[in-house]
Amino acid sequence: MRTLHVKTATADYPVYIGRNLLAQIPRNKAVAGRRAFVLTSPEIWALWGKNLLAAFSRNQQPTVLFLPAGERHKRLAQIERLASELAQAGADRSSLLIAFGGGIIGDLGGFLAAVYMRGIDYLQVPTTLLAQVDSSVGGKTGVNLASGKNLIGSFHHPRAVFADVDVLQTLPEHELRAGLFESIKAGIIRDAALFRYMEQNSASILARDSAALEHVIVASIRMKAGVVAIDERESGLRMILNYGHTLGHAIEAATGYRTLLHGEAIAWGMLAALQIALARRTVGPDQAERIEQTILAYGPLPPFRATPAQLLAAAGRDKKNRAGTRRFILPKGIGNAIVVEDATDAELNSAIRWMLARARMGR
Amino acid sequence: MRTLHVKTATADYPVYIGRNLLAQIPRNKAVAGRRAFVLTSPEIWALWGKNLLAAFSRNQQPTVLFLPAGERHKRLAQIERLASELAQAGADRSSLLIAFGGGIIGDLGGFLAAVYMRGIDYLQVPTTLLAQVDSSVGGKTGVNLASGKNLIGSFHHPRAVFADVDVLQTLPEHELRAGLFESIKAGIIRDAALFRYMEQNSASILARDSAALEHVIVASIRMKAGVVAIDERESGLRMILNYGHTLGHAIEAATGYRTLLHGEAIAWGMLAALQIALARRTVGPDQAERIEQTILAYGPLPPFRATPAQLLAAAGRDKKNRAGTRRFILPKGIGNAIVVEDATDAELNSAIRWMLARARMGR
């Protein structure tokens, strides 16, 4: 087991990464002696619920709440229902919520913890690779509006994160790959050694070798924790984490969040943004080729259909854009990234068309 | 105009109290140069909207959003609708929300600002006395669940508070009186001079003499700001602000939030809690008589019907009670208050029966 620490202006908490971590949760000091509530999905609970429950003593058994799978349930209506269930079950300010599932469970569960009685403590126990390397660290929580993803939310850090490598053994293949795209992103924007590791070890990583996965997860979380420590509220450096996200979010919106997994949309977004980086020469042709090949090594990237106009409009509504400017993240070589404020519609259009030509058939 | 400052561990903002303040809002540094959105009620807007708009220059006119009057609209469904309207109107992270109305507008508007794009700046422009002296200061924001008031919320401080005494001239009589009960509470628990002022000047205060109202508002806000500065998150001292609130909230819940205004329910709750204080001798008979007479001087207290069992059950669900203890706030003389952790069902029952005997006819 490895332990990293997330330290920000407002929070300081451990992230545990390793095998057989579910068994350790009840002994954690954030849990001991408190009334615990678990928010999970029926699918995860069927696979791993017994393991989690077995670790709790008989008189400390948690109350389990369920959120159905799917992005369409990441809405305020579910917050209303779940908060009512918490209230009915007697949850109070000293209760603890355990968000046990993928990114949607983590985002919505964190927001539920942020707003129930104006904030209760919670743990992140992410069960997808994407959630382990990305959304469980950094304190961003939230739900979607019909008009956009994560438009409602809070900053609310967990008391601890448990990234159990074992639970990844039951992760569907395409979800594993989708999570690995975020780790590649971590390498591209800030950790050249991680990028090289993923470039050279795709076979053992995709075969779910525990040591290889742990290596990737530790490096990915270390990168993100380092960025969040410097810029908790995304006023500067944290924006580089959005590499691939402007167009990735646009793809998700244009396809109704149904066709692609988040990580897959981000992978397409990274490839498209790479074309702008190449044209602006923030990456050289060899670097662009290595980035593209490494992303594709963790493919396939599923096909999707959208029009340039749809994607451009959706990119314009991205909440990362301030009024009047179009902000965009570009890789700068491998292991670094920059924020440009002057990306034009023409540049985006060109990158979007390049991407859509490939997206019809998938990569 | 008087200016007070709220200083907490996480915030530092001014509270302006005086006449003709609406006109000054657009010139405030938190507003200048930003896209502004006003959240208000149709009733307040009809009375005071022109005054607010007239102060904004032609090219700085705010976008106006409406929340219907009534506690039943203080729900997540309205957050969903209003956030969607903000998104459709192009509100971004640099936009400013102006919560212009009573306590419901302030609580819900503050929460909307807290969660829209994970938090945008906002101003409190309270238009009821209750909101001016109580809810607009302290950073508590939130909405109700069917199972309880304010069970969903955040701490999110405004950038500034504008308590305009002029707008109180159109406040319905019973709402003025309801707000004054919170000021009496402020005097009882922490400011003997304010209590005496209200004891001796009920005529000019109820006649809405601007200077008298300003005196009461300044003293009430100063009291609350002082408490919040010491204990932002209600882990200790801030709990004394809940004098009258355990039973007050229980009355509101038992009567479906329809029969009494919040301040009226709190006044009943203060009278009932006073009986426990008298029995425990934390106030003497003369002090109890002065407190009761001063509360009644700002009456009438409207009648209501409930059963002791209803109120006791509702008091038990109050979120201020930690598991296993029944916490209760008692005045200690006049100008001081204490938190007791061991209030018994028998004591509450006795106080509740005393109150219900009077509540059938009102006071």
PDB file of all heavy atoms in Angstrom, chain A residues 300-333:
ATOM      1  N   PRO A 300      -9.579   0.612 -28.216  1.00  0.00           N
ATOM      2  CA  PRO A 300     -10.093   1.455 -29.297  1.00  0.00           C
ATOM      3  C   PRO A 300     -10.865   2.668 -28.785  1.00  0.00           C
ATOM      4  O   PRO A 300     -11.429   2.644 -27.709  1.00  0.00           O
ATOM      5  CB  PRO A 300     -11.040   0.499 -30.028  1.00  0.00           C
ATOM      6  CG  PRO A 300     -11.527  -0.425 -28.956  1.00  0.00           C
ATOM      7  CD  PRO A 300     -10.342  -0.629 -28.054  1.00  0.00           C
ATOM      8  N   LEU A 301     -10.849   3.722 -29.636  1.00  0.00           N
ATOM      9  CA  LEU A 301     -11.710   4.876 -29.383  1.00  0.00           C
ATOM     10  C   LEU A 301     -12.991   4.672 -30.175  1.00  0.00           C
ATOM     11  O   LEU A 301     -12.955   4.648 -31.406  1.00  0.00           O
ATOM     12  CB  LEU A 301     -11.023   6.169 -29.842  1.00  0.00           C
ATOM     13  CG  LEU A 301      -9.868   6.654 -28.985  1.00  0.00           C
ATOM     14  CD1 LEU A 301      -9.380   8.014 -29.490  1.00  0.00           C
ATOM     15  CD2 LEU A 301     -10.298   6.768 -27.540  1.00  0.00           C
ATOM     16  N   PRO A 302     -14.116   4.550 -29.486  1.00  0.00           N
ATOM     17  CA  PRO A 302     -15.361   4.246 -30.205  1.00  0.00           C
ATOM     18  C   PRO A 302     -15.769   5.387 -31.134  1.00  0.00           C
ATOM     19  O   PRO A 302     -15.439   6.551 -30.894  1.00  0.00           O
ATOM     20  CB  PRO A 302     -16.394   4.093 -29.081  1.00  0.00           C
ATOM     21  CG  PRO A 302     -15.629   4.086 -27.806  1.00  0.00           C
ATOM     22  CD  PRO A 302     -14.316   4.725 -28.061  1.00  0.00           C
ATOM     23  N   PRO A 303     -16.476   5.040 -32.207  1.00  0.00           N
ATOM     24  CA  PRO A 303     -16.960   6.074 -33.128  1.00  0.00           C
ATOM     25  C   PRO A 303     -18.087   6.891 -32.497  1.00  0.00           C
ATOM     26  O   PRO A 303     -18.734   6.452 -31.547  1.00  0.00           O
ATOM     27  CB  PRO A 303     -17.490   5.262 -34.313  1.00  0.00           C
ATOM     28  CG  PRO A 303     -17.855   3.946 -33.734  1.00  0.00           C
ATOM     29  CD  PRO A 303     -16.884   3.698 -32.611  1.00  0.00           C
ATOM     30  N   PHE A 304     -18.303   8.080 -33.048  1.00  0.00           N
ATOM     31  CA  PHE A 304     -19.478   8.882 -32.678  1.00  0.00           C
ATOM     32  C   PHE A 304     -19.767   9.827 -33.835  1.00  0.00           C
ATOM     33  O   PHE A 304     -18.930  10.019 -34.717  1.00  0.00           O
ATOM     34  CB  PHE A 304     -19.253   9.661 -31.377  1.00  0.00           C
ATOM     35  CG  PHE A 304     -18.241  10.771 -31.498  1.00  0.00           C
ATOM     36  CD1 PHE A 304     -18.640  12.065 -31.812  1.00  0.00           C
ATOM     37  CD2 PHE A 304     -16.892  10.521 -31.298  1.00  0.00           C
ATOM     38  CE1 PHE A 304     -17.703  13.085 -31.937  1.00  0.00           C
ATOM     39  CE2 PHE A 304     -15.950  11.536 -31.426  1.00  0.00           C
ATOM     40  CZ  PHE A 304     -16.354  12.819 -31.740  1.00  0.00           C
ATOM     41  N   ARG A 305     -20.960  10.392 -33.813  1.00  0.00           N
ATOM     42  CA  ARG A 305     -21.330  11.337 -34.861  1.00  0.00           C
ATOM     43  C   ARG A 305     -21.786  12.645 -34.242  1.00  0.00           C
ATOM     44  O   ARG A 305     -22.526  12.663 -33.266  1.00  0.00           O
ATOM     45  CB  ARG A 305     -22.459  10.765 -35.725  1.00  0.00           C
ATOM     46  CG  ARG A 305     -21.976   9.678 -36.682  1.00  0.00           C
ATOM     47  CD  ARG A 305     -23.091   9.173 -37.574  1.00  0.00           C
ATOM     48  NE  ARG A 305     -22.572   8.185 -38.524  1.00  0.00           N
ATOM     49  CZ  ARG A 305     -22.068   8.501 -39.722  1.00  0.00           C
ATOM     50  NH1 ARG A 305     -22.040   9.771 -40.132  1.00  0.00           N
ATOM     51  NH2 ARG A 305     -21.611   7.560 -40.522  1.00  0.00           N
ATOM     52  N   ALA A 306     -21.312  13.729 -34.818  1.00  0.00           N
ATOM     53  CA  ALA A 306     -21.749  15.066 -34.400  1.00  0.00           C
ATOM     54  C   ALA A 306     -21.400  16.007 -35.528  1.00  0.00           C
ATOM     55  O   ALA A 306     -20.614  15.654 -36.415  1.00  0.00           O
ATOM     56  CB  ALA A 306     -21.043  15.489 -33.120  1.00  0.00           C
ATOM     57  N   THR A 307     -21.977  17.187 -35.528  1.00  0.00           N
ATOM     58  CA  THR A 307     -21.616  18.177 -36.540  1.00  0.00           C
ATOM     59  C   THR A 307     -20.643  19.179 -35.924  1.00  0.00           C
ATOM     60  O   THR A 307     -20.651  19.393 -34.711  1.00  0.00           O
ATOM     61  CB  THR A 307     -22.852  18.947 -37.034  1.00  0.00           C
ATOM     62  OG1 THR A 307     -23.357  19.741 -35.951  1.00  0.00           O
ATOM     63  CG2 THR A 307     -23.945  17.997 -37.503  1.00  0.00           C
ATOM     64  N   PRO A 308     -19.793  19.778 -36.757  1.00  0.00           N
ATOM     65  CA  PRO A 308     -18.879  20.805 -36.229  1.00  0.00           C
ATOM     66  C   PRO A 308     -19.637  21.907 -35.492  1.00  0.00           C
ATOM     67  O   PRO A 308     -19.183  22.374 -34.442  1.00  0.00           O
ATOM     68  CB  PRO A 308     -18.197  21.342 -37.493  1.00  0.00           C
ATOM     69  CG  PRO A 308     -18.272  20.229 -38.474  1.00  0.00           C
ATOM     70  CD  PRO A 308     -19.571  19.523 -38.201  1.00  0.00           C
ATOM     71  N   ALA A 309     -20.789  22.293 -36.040  1.00  0.00           N
ATOM     72  CA  ALA A 309     -21.548  23.387 -35.408  1.00  0.00           C
ATOM     73  C   ALA A 309     -21.993  23.005 -33.999  1.00  0.00           C
ATOM     74  O   ALA A 309     -21.910  23.811 -33.063  1.00  0.00           O
ATOM     75  CB  ALA A 309     -22.766  23.742 -36.267  1.00  0.00           C
ATOM     76  N   GLN A 310     -22.443  21.738 -33.858  1.00  0.00           N
ATOM     77  CA  GLN A 310     -22.840  21.264 -32.523  1.00  0.00           C
ATOM     78  C   GLN A 310     -21.683  21.356 -31.536  1.00  0.00           C
ATOM     79  O   GLN A 310     -21.831  21.837 -30.422  1.00  0.00           O
ATOM     80  CB  GLN A 310     -23.259  19.784 -32.608  1.00  0.00           C
ATOM     81  CG  GLN A 310     -24.678  19.527 -33.066  1.00  0.00           C
ATOM     82  CD  GLN A 310     -24.929  18.023 -33.156  1.00  0.00           C
ATOM     83  OE1 GLN A 310     -24.100  17.285 -33.678  1.00  0.00           O
ATOM     84  NE2 GLN A 310     -26.071  17.597 -32.642  1.00  0.00           N
ATOM     85  N   LEU A 311     -20.526  20.863 -31.974  1.00  0.00           N
ATOM     86  CA  LEU A 311     -19.381  20.820 -31.057  1.00  0.00           C
ATOM     87  C   LEU A 311     -18.887  22.218 -30.731  1.00  0.00           C
ATOM     88  O   LEU A 311     -18.541  22.511 -29.586  1.00  0.00           O
ATOM     89  CB  LEU A 311     -18.258  19.979 -31.667  1.00  0.00           C
ATOM     90  CG  LEU A 311     -18.584  18.495 -31.854  1.00  0.00           C
ATOM     91  CD1 LEU A 311     -17.392  17.757 -32.456  1.00  0.00           C
ATOM     92  CD2 LEU A 311     -18.966  17.860 -30.520  1.00  0.00           C
ATOM     93  N   LEU A 312     -18.864  23.081 -31.728  1.00  0.00           N
ATOM     94  CA  LEU A 312     -18.392  24.449 -31.489  1.00  0.00           C
ATOM     95  C   LEU A 312     -19.319  25.165 -30.512  1.00  0.00           C
ATOM     96  O   LEU A 312     -18.870  25.856 -29.589  1.00  0.00           O
ATOM     97  CB  LEU A 312     -18.316  25.213 -32.816  1.00  0.00           C
ATOM     98  CG  LEU A 312     -17.373  26.419 -32.844  1.00  0.00           C
ATOM     99  CD1 LEU A 312     -15.941  25.998 -32.559  1.00  0.00           C
ATOM    100  CD2 LEU A 312     -17.460  27.136 -34.182  1.00  0.00           C
ATOM    101  N   ALA A 313     -20.621  24.973 -30.705  1.00  0.00           N
ATOM    102  CA  ALA A 313     -21.581  25.613 -29.799  1.00  0.00           C
ATOM    103  C   ALA A 313     -21.417  25.072 -28.385  1.00  0.00           C
ATOM    104  O   ALA A 313     -21.423  25.829 -27.408  1.00  0.00           O
ATOM    105  CB  ALA A 313     -23.013  25.378 -30.302  1.00  0.00           C
ATOM    106  N   ALA A 314     -21.260  23.748 -28.271  1.00  0.00           N
ATOM    107  CA  ALA A 314     -21.129  23.145 -26.942  1.00  0.00           C
ATOM    108  C   ALA A 314     -19.827  23.573 -26.276  1.00  0.00           C
ATOM    109  O   ALA A 314     -19.772  23.773 -25.066  1.00  0.00           O
ATOM    110  CB  ALA A 314     -21.207  21.624 -27.046  1.00  0.00           C
ATOM    111  N   ALA A 315     -18.764  23.726 -27.068  1.00  0.00           N
ATOM    112  CA  ALA A 315     -17.488  24.172 -26.505  1.00  0.00           C
ATOM    113  C   ALA A 315     -17.608  25.602 -25.984  1.00  0.00           C
ATOM    114  O   ALA A 315     -17.006  25.961 -24.982  1.00  0.00           O
ATOM    115  CB  ALA A 315     -16.382  24.087 -27.553  1.00  0.00           C
ATOM    116  N   GLY A 316     -18.410  26.389 -26.669  1.00  0.00           N
ATOM    117  CA  GLY A 316     -18.587  27.776 -26.243  1.00  0.00           C
ATOM    118  C   GLY A 316     -19.302  27.895 -24.922  1.00  0.00           C
ATOM    119  O   GLY A 316     -19.096  28.847 -24.184  1.00  0.00           O
ATOM    120  N   ARG A 317     -20.135  26.910 -24.599  1.00  0.00           N
ATOM    121  CA  ARG A 317     -20.867  26.962 -23.339  1.00  0.00           C
ATOM    122  C   ARG A 317     -20.091  26.347 -22.177  1.00  0.00           C
ATOM    123  O   ARG A 317     -20.540  26.380 -21.050  1.00  0.00           O
ATOM    124  CB  ARG A 317     -22.200  26.221 -23.486  1.00  0.00           C
ATOM    125  CG  ARG A 317     -23.246  26.992 -24.262  1.00  0.00           C
ATOM    126  CD  ARG A 317     -24.633  26.496 -23.926  1.00  0.00           C
ATOM    127  NE  ARG A 317     -24.771  25.069 -24.188  1.00  0.00           N
ATOM    128  CZ  ARG A 317     -25.207  24.563 -25.344  1.00  0.00           C
ATOM    129  NH1 ARG A 317     -25.536  25.358 -26.342  1.00  0.00           N
ATOM    130  NH2 ARG A 317     -25.315  23.267 -25.498  1.00  0.00           N
ATOM    131  N   ASP A 318     -18.911  25.781 -22.487  1.00  0.00           N
ATOM    132  CA  ASP A 318     -18.119  25.192 -21.420  1.00  0.00           C
ATOM    133  C   ASP A 318     -17.882  26.224 -20.329  1.00  0.00           C
ATOM    134  O   ASP A 318     -17.520  27.353 -20.589  1.00  0.00           O
ATOM    135  CB  ASP A 318     -16.778  24.717 -21.993  1.00  0.00           C
ATOM    136  CG  ASP A 318     -15.999  23.901 -20.991  1.00  0.00           C
ATOM    137  OD1 ASP A 318     -15.756  24.418 -19.892  1.00  0.00           O
ATOM    138  OD2 ASP A 318     -15.647  22.760 -21.305  1.00  0.00           O
ATOM    139  N   LYS A 319     -18.071  25.824 -19.061  1.00  0.00           N
ATOM    140  CA  LYS A 319     -17.975  26.805 -17.986  1.00  0.00           C
ATOM    141  C   LYS A 319     -16.548  27.278 -17.746  1.00  0.00           C
ATOM    142  O   LYS A 319     -16.325  28.213 -16.999  1.00  0.00           O
ATOM    143  CB  LYS A 319     -18.555  26.245 -16.692  1.00  0.00           C
ATOM    144  CG  LYS A 319     -17.792  25.096 -16.086  1.00  0.00           C
ATOM    145  CD  LYS A 319     -18.494  24.648 -14.818  1.00  0.00           C
ATOM    146  CE  LYS A 319     -17.763  23.482 -14.166  1.00  0.00           C
ATOM    147  NZ  LYS A 319     -17.696  22.293 -15.032  1.00  0.00           N
ATOM    148  N   LYS A 320     -15.579  26.607 -18.374  1.00  0.00           N
ATOM    149  CA  LYS A 320     -14.203  27.076 -18.202  1.00  0.00           C
ATOM    150  C   LYS A 320     -13.918  28.344 -19.001  1.00  0.00           C
ATOM    151  O   LYS A 320     -12.897  28.978 -18.824  1.00  0.00           O
ATOM    152  CB  LYS A 320     -13.202  25.991 -18.617  1.00  0.00           C
ATOM    153  CG  LYS A 320     -12.857  25.020 -17.513  1.00  0.00           C
ATOM    154  CD  LYS A 320     -13.762  23.831 -17.560  1.00  0.00           C
ATOM    155  CE  LYS A 320     -13.586  22.954 -16.302  1.00  0.00           C
ATOM    156  NZ  LYS A 320     -14.540  21.840 -16.337  1.00  0.00           N
ATOM    157  N   ASN A 321     -14.795  28.677 -19.926  1.00  0.00           N
ATOM    158  CA  ASN A 321     -14.560  29.864 -20.737  1.00  0.00           C
ATOM    159  C   ASN A 321     -15.109  31.110 -20.069  1.00  0.00           C
ATOM    160  O   ASN A 321     -16.283  31.179 -19.746  1.00  0.00           O
ATOM    161  CB  ASN A 321     -15.227  29.713 -22.098  1.00  0.00           C
ATOM    162  CG  ASN A 321     -14.546  28.635 -22.904  1.00  0.00           C
ATOM    163  OD1 ASN A 321     -13.327  28.625 -22.999  1.00  0.00           O
ATOM    164  ND2 ASN A 321     -15.330  27.726 -23.449  1.00  0.00           N
ATOM    165  N   ARG A 322     -14.269  32.090 -19.847  1.00  0.00           N
ATOM    166  CA  ARG A 322     -14.761  33.362 -19.314  1.00  0.00           C
ATOM    167  C   ARG A 322     -15.395  34.164 -20.436  1.00  0.00           C
ATOM    168  O   ARG A 322     -15.105  33.974 -21.602  1.00  0.00           O
ATOM    169  CB  ARG A 322     -13.616  34.166 -18.715  1.00  0.00           C
ATOM    170  CG  ARG A 322     -13.060  33.493 -17.495  1.00  0.00           C
ATOM    171  CD  ARG A 322     -12.323  34.482 -16.643  1.00  0.00           C
ATOM    172  NE  ARG A 322     -11.760  33.759 -15.502  1.00  0.00           N
ATOM    173  CZ  ARG A 322     -10.945  34.281 -14.632  1.00  0.00           C
ATOM    174  NH1 ARG A 322     -10.599  35.551 -14.740  1.00  0.00           N
ATOM    175  NH2 ARG A 322     -10.482  33.575 -13.640  1.00  0.00           N
ATOM    176  N   ALA A 323     -16.246  35.059 -20.037  1.00  0.00           N
ATOM    177  CA  ALA A 323     -16.950  35.873 -21.020  1.00  0.00           C
ATOM    178  C   ALA A 323     -15.948  36.522 -21.967  1.00  0.00           C
ATOM    179  O   ALA A 323     -14.998  37.159 -21.544  1.00  0.00           O
ATOM    180  CB  ALA A 323     -17.768  36.930 -20.301  1.00  0.00           C
ATOM    181  N   GLY A 324     -16.151  36.319 -23.266  1.00  0.00           N
ATOM    182  CA  GLY A 324     -15.373  37.055 -24.257  1.00  0.00           C
ATOM    183  C   GLY A 324     -14.063  36.422 -24.674  1.00  0.00           C
ATOM    184  O   GLY A 324     -13.470  36.850 -25.653  1.00  0.00           O
ATOM    185  N   THR A 325     -13.574  35.426 -23.949  1.00  0.00           N
ATOM    186  CA  THR A 325     -12.346  34.771 -24.379  1.00  0.00           C
ATOM    187  C   THR A 325     -12.623  33.285 -24.523  1.00  0.00           C
ATOM    188  O   THR A 325     -13.510  32.750 -23.883  1.00  0.00           O
ATOM    189  CB  THR A 325     -11.212  34.946 -23.351  1.00  0.00           C
ATOM    190  OG1 THR A 325     -11.574  34.264 -22.146  1.00  0.00           O
ATOM    191  CG2 THR A 325     -10.971  36.406 -23.036  1.00  0.00           C
ATOM    192  N   ARG A 326     -11.849  32.648 -25.395  1.00  0.00           N
ATOM    193  CA  ARG A 326     -11.940  31.195 -25.498  1.00  0.00           C
ATOM    194  C   ARG A 326     -10.634  30.613 -25.010  1.00  0.00           C
ATOM    195  O   ARG A 326      -9.604  30.708 -25.659  1.00  0.00           O
ATOM    196  CB  ARG A 326     -12.219  30.762 -26.938  1.00  0.00           C
ATOM    197  CG  ARG A 326     -12.539  29.272 -27.039  1.00  0.00           C
ATOM    198  CD  ARG A 326     -12.667  28.833 -28.475  1.00  0.00           C
ATOM    199  NE  ARG A 326     -13.862  29.345 -29.120  1.00  0.00           N
ATOM    200  CZ  ARG A 326     -15.071  28.808 -28.985  1.00  0.00           C
ATOM    201  NH1 ARG A 326     -15.244  27.790 -28.189  1.00  0.00           N
ATOM    202  NH2 ARG A 326     -16.099  29.307 -29.624  1.00  0.00           N
ATOM    203  N   ARG A 327     -10.690  30.032 -23.854  1.00  0.00           N
ATOM    204  CA  ARG A 327      -9.505  29.482 -23.213  1.00  0.00           C
ATOM    205  C   ARG A 327      -9.329  28.037 -23.656  1.00  0.00           C
ATOM    206  O   ARG A 327     -10.304  27.313 -23.830  1.00  0.00           O
ATOM    207  CB  ARG A 327      -9.712  29.560 -21.708  1.00  0.00           C
ATOM    208  CG  ARG A 327      -8.579  29.037 -20.897  1.00  0.00           C
ATOM    209  CD  ARG A 327      -8.871  29.280 -19.448  1.00  0.00           C
ATOM    210  NE  ARG A 327      -8.772  30.690 -19.129  1.00  0.00           N
ATOM    211  CZ  ARG A 327      -9.361  31.258 -18.108  1.00  0.00           C
ATOM    212  NH1 ARG A 327     -10.147  30.562 -17.328  1.00  0.00           N
ATOM    213  NH2 ARG A 327      -9.186  32.537 -17.865  1.00  0.00           N
ATOM    214  N   PHE A 328      -8.078  27.637 -23.814  1.00  0.00           N
ATOM    215  CA  PHE A 328      -7.826  26.294 -24.320  1.00  0.00           C
ATOM    216  C   PHE A 328      -6.500  25.792 -23.748  1.00  0.00           C
ATOM    217  O   PHE A 328      -5.560  26.564 -23.565  1.00  0.00           O
ATOM    218  CB  PHE A 328      -7.768  26.349 -25.857  1.00  0.00           C
ATOM    219  CG  PHE A 328      -8.235  25.081 -26.514  1.00  0.00           C
ATOM    220  CD1 PHE A 328      -9.587  24.810 -26.644  1.00  0.00           C
ATOM    221  CD2 PHE A 328      -7.310  24.162 -26.997  1.00  0.00           C
ATOM    222  CE1 PHE A 328     -10.014  23.634 -27.244  1.00  0.00           C
ATOM    223  CE2 PHE A 328      -7.736  22.990 -27.597  1.00  0.00           C
ATOM    224  CZ  PHE A 328      -9.089  22.728 -27.727  1.00  0.00           C
ATOM    225  N   ILE A 329      -6.452  24.503 -23.460  1.00  0.00           N
ATOM    226  CA  ILE A 329      -5.234  23.921 -22.901  1.00  0.00           C
ATOM    227  C   ILE A 329      -4.493  23.173 -24.009  1.00  0.00           C
ATOM    228  O   ILE A 329      -5.082  22.362 -24.722  1.00  0.00           O
ATOM    229  CB  ILE A 329      -5.550  22.913 -21.767  1.00  0.00           C
ATOM    230  CG1 ILE A 329      -6.662  23.428 -20.869  1.00  0.00           C
ATOM    231  CG2 ILE A 329      -4.282  22.564 -20.992  1.00  0.00           C
ATOM    232  CD1 ILE A 329      -6.373  24.707 -20.169  1.00  0.00           C
ATOM    233  N   LEU A 330      -3.202  23.452 -24.117  1.00  0.00           N
ATOM    234  CA  LEU A 330      -2.384  22.774 -25.126  1.00  0.00           C
ATOM    235  C   LEU A 330      -1.197  22.110 -24.462  1.00  0.00           C
ATOM    236  O   LEU A 330      -0.583  22.683 -23.552  1.00  0.00           O
ATOM    237  CB  LEU A 330      -1.869  23.794 -26.159  1.00  0.00           C
ATOM    238  CG  LEU A 330      -2.919  24.510 -27.007  1.00  0.00           C
ATOM    239  CD1 LEU A 330      -2.233  25.537 -27.911  1.00  0.00           C
ATOM    240  CD2 LEU A 330      -3.724  23.507 -27.832  1.00  0.00           C
ATOM    241  N   PRO A 331      -0.845  20.880 -24.891  1.00  0.00           N
ATOM    242  CA  PRO A 331       0.407  20.300 -24.404  1.00  0.00           C
ATOM    243  C   PRO A 331       1.579  21.134 -24.909  1.00  0.00           C
ATOM    244  O   PRO A 331       1.521  21.710 -26.001  1.00  0.00           O
ATOM    245  CB  PRO A 331       0.406  18.897 -25.010  1.00  0.00           C
ATOM    246  CG  PRO A 331      -0.494  18.974 -26.197  1.00  0.00           C
ATOM    247  CD  PRO A 331      -1.528  20.011 -25.867  1.00  0.00           C
ATOM    248  N   LYS A 332       2.600  21.226 -24.069  1.00  0.00           N
ATOM    249  CA  LYS A 332       3.829  21.911 -24.490  1.00  0.00           C
ATOM    250  C   LYS A 332       4.927  20.869 -24.375  1.00  0.00           C
ATOM    251  O   LYS A 332       5.404  20.573 -23.276  1.00  0.00           O
ATOM    252  CB  LYS A 332       4.089  23.101 -23.570  1.00  0.00           C
ATOM    253  CG  LYS A 332       5.300  23.933 -23.954  1.00  0.00           C
ATOM    254  CD  LYS A 332       5.333  25.202 -23.109  1.00  0.00           C
ATOM    255  CE  LYS A 332       6.712  25.850 -23.116  1.00  0.00           C
ATOM    256  NZ  LYS A 332       7.116  26.313 -24.455  1.00  0.00           N
ATOM    257  N   GLY A 333       5.262  20.253 -25.483  1.00  0.00           N
ATOM    258  CA  GLY A 333       6.120  19.081 -25.446  1.00  0.00           C
ATOM    259  C   GLY A 333       5.396  17.960 -24.724  1.00  0.00           C
ATOM    260  O   GLY A 333       4.166  17.907 -24.696  1.00  0.00           O
TER     261      GLY A 333
END
